Amino acid sequence: MMSFFDFLIKNKGEVFQQLIEHIQLTLVSLCIAVLMGITIGILISVYQKSTKAVLSLVNTIQTIPSLALLGFLLPFFGIGVVPAIIALFLYALLPIVRNTFTGIEEVDPSVKESAIAMGMKRSQVLFKIELPLAMPYIMAGIRTASVINVGVATLSAFIAAGGLGEFILQGIQLNNSNMILAGAIPASLLALFFDAVLGRVQKSSLKVIRWFSIILFGGMLAYLTIIGFQKLNFSKDKSKLLGGFPSEFVYREDGLKGLFKAYDFELDYVEMEIGLMYRALANKEVDVISGFSTDGRIKAYNLQTLEDNRNYFPPYQAAPVARVAILKKYPEISRSLEKLKNRINNAEMTEMNYKVDEEKMQPQDVAMEFLQSKAMFNKSKNKEGQAGTIKIGSKAFTENYILAHLFKLVIEENTQLNVEMKLGFGGTKLLMDAMKNDEIDIYPEYTGTALLLLLETNNKERKSLISNPKKVYDFVKIESRKQFQFEWLPPLGFNNTFAILMRSNQAEELGLETIENLSDR
Amino acid sequence: MITFQNIEKSFDEQLVLKNINLQIKEGELMVLLGASGSGKTTMLRMINGLENPNSGSIRIAHKYLKEHDLLDLRKEIGYVIQKVGLFPHYSVFDNVATILKLKNEKEDLVKEKVHKWLDKIGMPAAVYGQKFPTELSGGEAQRIGLARALVAQPSMILLDEPFSALDPISRVKIRNEFRKIQQQEKLTAVMVTHDVLEAVSIADRICLLANGEIQQVGTAQEILFKPENELVKKFVEGDQFQASLASVSLKEIKNFISEKSTPKFDTEGSVLELLQNEDTQYHAGVLDAFYKWKENKA
């Protein structure tokens, strides 16, 4: 706990700034949602025919996962504060609309009738009778919306809109719990604070509510005028290239910092969520991102990989890794998987990923199609070895699923063995534990991952290794066998390392082919 | 004067009023009497435009309803309903003052009128003015409802079962107070009720409705003693005796009371009210006089 306070004190400037950003995001979106929400609530109570349709629409918006909503807004509003406020506004809408409508509906019909029979106009009935009586409901809706907004606003960090989410996201990526708490605790306190203030307002008289809203909305209007909506939005200098990188990449030593050092250059950048990054690049919100070499979206969005000509990134060659014991028991496994050696290049792997991610094909169909195209699957009759069952595992992403299916198909094609699949492990650590416990026998792994994660190597030794994929492969092969009794089978051929990506047409326009070219600018 | 002419009205294809022709005279208290579903409330709500007839016309003060500005007209028609419908977020004072403010009356005049009416219904502003509707009893709330309907000096007042939700004692009390005010102010009043006893106690004339049609229009005694058809007869049958007593005022039987058996008493109210009085010394003599009066009339 002490270290948390140390962290807080050390970073108090940043915490304070993120808190202010967070309050800005929440309040601005909430104020817009209050104005729009009450208006819509009134309209649907007047025009009852539209009630059902409108309520189910705002209901539906509420159920869209926040990341999906941000992704959906990206093509229209880009990244930064504006789309964040729009997303927050949409989430805050439902409780306010619904409560306004319910509040008006709940007004005692005899009260409404008295007002009408007294000669009040429709608008007088609304403003003198219905709205004041619906006020407790409306305030409750605003309270709910404010708490939702404080929570969802943490996700604004995904699209470079700032707020306390920055600490939370970075903390999660870097596995730094003090950092997570430095974002999460102020956010929860903020939610409690909003709830308490609005709770007090809710209980006070109509006069107090009126003054409170006048001051709040007046202040907001003045604030927006002074700051200027333009400045609130993330403004982009067109002549300069802008990077967009996930927090994990930004903060790890062998990520962005090392890249800048290795190529001796700097680039303005914003932090983004990985899933949104590719879309932001395609939509010209950013110009440079860090992705992975065989990602299907490289093909889908027509992106160009800048060559890592100084070999900064370690090689991530894919290969099957198996338990030594199982290979001894069924030596035919090694012989069959040998057939995949150097058979898949980067373009082919990207293509397979693309087919699953973008064309929505099943991984097993894509694997089968690939083998058939290579004439490696012809229902051969001479299956060697004995009958038995082995288990193949994989991590939880597309490429690993496809590779696991490739292994299964090849093994079943050439041996008497029967393969069970255990796919979707949450991380390398879990998979390795499963291997050690004989839960699985084979899984696809990358040399770079093994190098960094399995093997404690000093920086110098790493550097001498990194430039040479063969050396890395040999190193992890020997070390894995020594430490865990895991055997690395021959590499599949492609290298799924970190890739610095740009839009193809822009890279061509600027004549950029390597990362060095980028630093020359 | 309110005139219904050939009114027809249906809800969802179901005819609830047909062939309605009725004239309500200036300053008269007309009771629309009938069982639930007889269409009496619908008829009442047509007068201030809360319901519209499918066919036929309504005239108020010699002008067709359609020719009136509905909002202005409503400001001239007091409206009192069973559930009262006070504005829960307004104080008693503001509830009564609302309609005056709608009519843009000056502030000191508003205050004067509200105070006058709160006094008149026995709930002085000093005590009740700043209370809120939730702090009032049912009887108090309905008094405020009456004050609210009367404060703008309307030319007519509509009442829909105004006293039905009250306990029997305050019901009679408020009813009599209202009747007194109505006669003092010469208000044209239309009141809906299903209670025969209430109708005969208060009405100048009764319009008896059944199955969406007017069965008979007449004074309480005409309805009770000369029913025009079986439906009317059946409707008043259960309460016949009490209703008869309620429909006859003590003034009417005064000449039949023998001074010997019944010494001097106040001739305010109906025979029924006197008989319900716990002071039993007059009962036999008054009942005697009532029978003599009835015989004489027949």
Side-chain angles (χ1 to χ4, degrees):
Chain A
M1 207 55 195
M2 213 44 233
S3 62
F4 165 66
F5 286 116
D6 289 342
F7 181 90
L8 213 56
I9 290 160
K10 220 172 99 191
N11 294 284
K12 60 177 184 290
E14 223 174 317
V15 173
F16 186 70
Q17 196 211 329
Q18 292 188 6
L19 183 67
I20 295 294
E21 286 171 354
H22 209 91
I23 294 174
Q24 282 174 2
L25 286 172
T26 314
L27 273 189
V28 173
S29 58
L30 192 63
C31 283
I32 304 173
V34 167
L35 287 177
M36 293 284 291
I38 294 179
T39 311
I40 295 173
I42 290 170
L43 288 177
I44 61 176
S45 75
V46 175
Y47 303 102
Q48 295 268 349
K49 273 184 195 158
S50 65
T51 307
K52 237 185 162 172
V54 173
L55 276 184
S56 31
L57 179 71
V58 284
N59 252 325
T60 313
I61 294 175
Q62 191 82 3
T63 60
I64 300 174
S66 11
L67 257 185
L69 185 63
L70 291 176
F72 173 74
L73 292 173
L74 203 94
F76 305 105
F77 302 103
I79 57 173
V81 174
V82 170
I85 286 177
I86 291 171
L88 289 176
F89 153 73
L90 288 174
Y91 280 119
L93 210 50
L94 173 68
I96 299 176
V97 170
R98 196 178 43 200
N99 280 31
T100 305
F101 173 72
T102 313
I104 292 176
E105 286 296 289
E106 289 289 307
V107 173
D108 187 339
S110 67
V111 171
K112 230 188 280 187
E113 187 171 289
S114 298
I116 294 168
M118 192 177 275
M120 283 195 191
K121 284 185 280 194
R122 186 71 191 86
S123 59
Q124 286 171 323
V125 175
L126 182 66
F127 288 108
K128 285 180 192 288
I129 308 298
E130 289 175 316
L131 274 188
L133 289 176
M135 201 46 87
Y137 287 85
I138 298 176
M139 286 305 296
I142 296 174
R143 261 173 97 176
T144 312
S146 76
V147 175
I148 291 176
N149 261 16
V150 172
V152 179
T154 53
L155 296 177
S156 306
F158 279 146
I159 51 167
L164 289 162
E166 276 187 25
F167 270 150
I168 298 176
L169 287 186
Q170 285 168 27
I172 291 171
Q173 302 283 10
L174 301 174
N175 201 11
N176 179 341
S177 27
N178 287 332
M179 207 182 231
I180 299 176
L181 290 177
I185 291 178
S188 344
L189 291 179
L190 192 61
L192 290 176
F193 173 74
F194 275 142
D195 196 49
V197 169
L198 290 172
R200 280 300 288 275
V201 175
Q202 183 180 4
K203 285 198 190 75
S204 27
S205 67
L206 284 169
K207 225 181 211 161
V208 174
I209 294 180
R210 200 174 305 151
W211 278 110
F212 179 79
S213 12
I214 288 172
I215 291 169
L216 189 66
F217 282 104
M220 191 59 55
L221 203 67
Y223 172 79
L224 285 180
T225 325
I226 293 164
I227 296 280
F229 217 69
Q230 207 44 48
K231 211 180 155 201
L232 253 181
N233 193 5
F234 173 80
S235 63
K236 191 180 147 190
D237 183 351
K238 291 271 187 265
S239 66
K240 266 182 163 171
L241 292 179
L242 180 75
F245 305 111
S247 305
E248 184 195 12
F249 185 73
V250 171
Y251 289 93
R252 57 196 280 178
E253 279 307 315
D254 56 338
L256 192 64
K257 285 179 194 163
L259 182 75
F260 285 164
K261 220 184 275 168
Y263 281 92
D264 192 27
F265 80 115
E266 291 266 336
L267 184 70
D268 286 337
Y269 64 89
V270 292
E271 287 173 41
M272 305 191 76
E273 202 274 333
I274 296 185
L276 297 172
M277 199 172 60
Y278 286 90
R279 195 99 64 88
L281 177 61
N283 275 299
K284 304 184 182 171
E285 292 298 330
V286 295
D287 307 303
V288 183
I289 65 170
S290 71
F292 295 96
S293 322
T294 56
D295 197 302
R297 285 169 289 198
I298 294 178
K299 182 178 153 71
Y301 294 133
N302 189 21
L303 306 179
Q304 156 105 42
T305 308
L306 298 184
E307 196 198 331
D308 178 21
N309 56 327
R310 288 187 190 170
N311 291 321
Y312 167 70
F313 295 120
Y316 280 75
Q317 284 188 292
V321 175
R323 293 192 298 116
V324 171
I326 202 83
L327 294 181
K328 279 204 179 116
K329 192 172 173 193
Y330 304 115
E332 62 269 29
I333 293 176
S334 307
R335 285 195 293 276
S336 61
L337 288 176
E338 179 93 16
K339 292 177 198 292
L340 282 171
K341 182 179 177 181
N342 289 333
R343 291 303 292 267
I344 312 172
N345 64 29
N346 270 26
E348 285 165 339
M349 194 64 239
T350 309
E351 175 77 25
M352 283 193 271
N353 285 330
Y354 172 77
K355 280 183 177 155
V356 175
D357 283 339
E358 304 294 326
E359 293 181 355
K360 309 297 168 208
M361 284 175 66
Q362 292 298 312
Q364 55 265 44
D365 298 338
V366 173
M368 173 70 90
E369 195 184 274
F370 176 78
L371 291 178
Q372 281 167 343
S373 75
K374 295 270 177 183
M376 289 171 68
F377 195 83
N378 30 31
K379 296 222 159 93
S380 74
K381 288 277 172 326
N382 52 358
K383 297 178 189 246
E384 59 169 328
Q386 46 185 319
T389 300
I390 59 163
K391 293 166 213 144
I392 294 183
S394 86
K395 284 178 238 180
F397 59 94
T398 307
E399 185 168 296
N400 259 226
Y401 291 137
I402 298 173
L403 292 179
H405 281 287
L406 272 176
F407 297 170
K408 172 184 158 89
L409 289 169
V410 169
I411 290 170
E412 288 184 340
E413 162 82 1
N414 295 295
T415 72
Q416 303 275 7
L417 293 169
N418 181 31
V419 176
E420 257 177 44
M421 304 291 260
K422 298 205 162 181
L423 308 183
F425 278 79
T428 310
K429 192 96 184 61
L430 289 172
L431 254 173
M432 286 182 49
D433 287 342
M435 287 274 281
K436 286 180 202 160
N437 294 325
D438 302 351
E439 299 277 343
I440 57 173
D441 303 309
I442 304 174
Y443 80 101
E445 186 55 283
Y446 303 90
T447 53
T449 311
L451 182 71
L452 293 174
L453 211 121
L454 309 181
L455 313 164
E456 292 288 328
T457 47
N458 66 41
N459 245 355
K460 230 182 197 166
E461 197 180 350
R462 234 190 85 201
K463 248 183 198 147
S464 72
L465 283 170
I466 270 180
S467 53
N468 189 334
K470 170 116 190 25
K471 267 191 186 166
V472 173
Y473 178 83
D474 292 341
F475 181 81
V476 298
K477 187 178 170 80
I478 293 162
E479 285 294 318
S480 292
R481 196 185 300 151
K482 209 158 67 188
Q483 290 187 32
F484 309 120
Q485 286 79 52
F486 294 170
E487 182 71 29
W488 282 71
L489 297 173
L492 302 170
F494 65 90
N495 179 13
N496 184 9
T497 184
F498 286 102
I500 299 301
L501 301 167
M502 293 184 69
R503 290 183 299 282
S504 290
N505 49 9
Q506 192 185 30
E508 203 174 321
E509 220 170 87
L510 301 172
L512 301 175
E513 284 174 358
T514 65
I515 303 178
E516 203 167 63
N517 291 158
L518 198 62
S519 66
D520 289 343
R521 274 175 51 88
Chain B
M1 196 164 73
I2 306 165
T3 312
F4 288 81
Q5 198 169 14
N6 297 324
I7 294 291
E8 247 186 54
K9 173 76 180 175
S10 50
F11 288 117
D12 304 326
E13 316 265 304
Q14 175 129 34
L15 211 56
V16 291
L17 284 177
K18 56 192 167 207
N19 194 24
I20 298 291
N21 286 288
L22 179 69
Q23 210 167 59
I24 299 162
K25 290 178 225 151
E26 209 89 346
E28 135 178 270
L29 197 166
M30 170 70 83
V31 169
L32 304 180
L33 178 65
S36 58
S38 60
K40 56 192 192 299
T41 294
T42 309
M43 225 176 125
L44 184 82
R45 289 160 59 90
M46 282 178 182
I47 300 171
N48 60 359
L50 294 175
E51 301 283 359
N52 290 314
N54 295 103
S55 65
S57 61
I58 294 170
R59 269 173 296 166
I60 293 172
H62 305 293
K63 231 166 109 183
Y64 284 104
L65 193 61
K66 284 176 218 151
E67 298 165 346
H68 284 279
D69 179 311
L70 197 54
L71 294 182
D72 287 342
L73 180 70
R74 281 174 180 165
K75 292 189 181 92
E76 303 306 322
I77 303 179
Y79 189 60
V80 181
I81 52 181
Q82 184 183 349
K83 286 185 171 170
V84 194
L86 293 181
F87 306 139
H89 56 308
Y90 283 1
S91 67
V92 164
F93 181 94
D94 288 335
N95 260 288
V96 179
T98 308
I99 184 159
L100 297 174
K101 286 178 184 162
L102 279 181
K103 292 175 86 175
N104 290 321
E105 295 206 10
K106 285 211 185 72
E107 208 170 313
D108 43 349
L109 205 61
V110 170
K111 199 172 165 189
E112 191 194 307
K113 284 185 180 174
V114 174
H115 279 236
K116 182 184 119 189
W117 276 98
L118 286 178
D119 283 343
K120 222 169 183 169
I121 54 154
M123 293 177 69
V127 184
Y128 292 97
Q130 293 317 309
K131 286 199 175 179
F132 278 83
T134 45
E135 301 170 83
L136 304 177
S137 72
E140 288 173 331
Q142 195 52 285
R143 280 169 199 267
I144 301 299
L146 275 173
R148 183 174 67 170
L150 294 170
V151 71
Q153 289 158 298
S155 54
M156 59 188 85
I157 181 166
L158 311 178
L159 307 99
D160 189 355
E161 306 266 7
F163 312 121
S164 317
L166 307 179
D167 64 273
I169 294 170
S170 33
R171 187 187 309 166
V172 173
K173 204 162 166 237
I174 297 179
R175 189 168 69 202
N176 290 344
E177 282 169 17
F178 166 70
R179 175 63 160 160
K180 214 176 271 170
I181 292 169
Q182 182 261 335
Q183 284 170 329
Q184 276 169 11
E185 307 278 322
K186 298 191 173 59
L187 271 168
T188 308
V190 187
M191 179 172 132
V192 160
T193 186
H194 65 276
D195 182 349
V196 178
L197 221 52
E198 179 161 278
V200 299
S201 315
I202 197 171
D204 288 320
R205 284 197 301 157
I206 293 170
C207 166
L208 198 139
L209 284 152
N211 305 332
E213 281 182 293
I214 295 179
Q215 304 297 333
Q216 187 174 352
V217 181
T219 63
Q221 284 157 24
E222 284 168 347
I223 298 276
L224 287 171
F225 305 132
K226 292 174 195 153
E228 278 174 15
N229 62 33
E230 278 304 303
L231 278 172
V232 178
K233 211 171 177 179
K234 247 201 170 130
F235 191 82
V236 296
E237 221 165 39
D239 297 310
Q240 183 79 44
F241 179 62
Q242 283 207 19
S244 307
L245 296 176
S247 72
V248 178
S249 71
L250 288 171
K251 268 191 202 121
E252 279 178 271
I253 61 164
K254 204 172 131 197
N255 297 332
F256 297 89
I257 292 174
S258 64
E259 296 281 336
K260 256 189 283 158
S261 64
T262 312
K264 267 195 164 170
F265 60 86
D266 193 3
T267 51
E268 286 284 303
S270 68
V271 177
L272 182 66
E273 273 171 60
L274 185 114
L275 293 181
Q276 278 171 342
N277 199 313
E278 283 176 17
D279 194 357
T280 52
Q281 55 171 323
Y282 309 125
H283 286 188
V286 167
L287 206 54
D288 234 24
F290 170 75
Y291 284 123
K292 271 185 209 155
W293 170 85
K294 208 175 155 191
E295 223 165 84
N296 190 54
K297 224 178 171 206

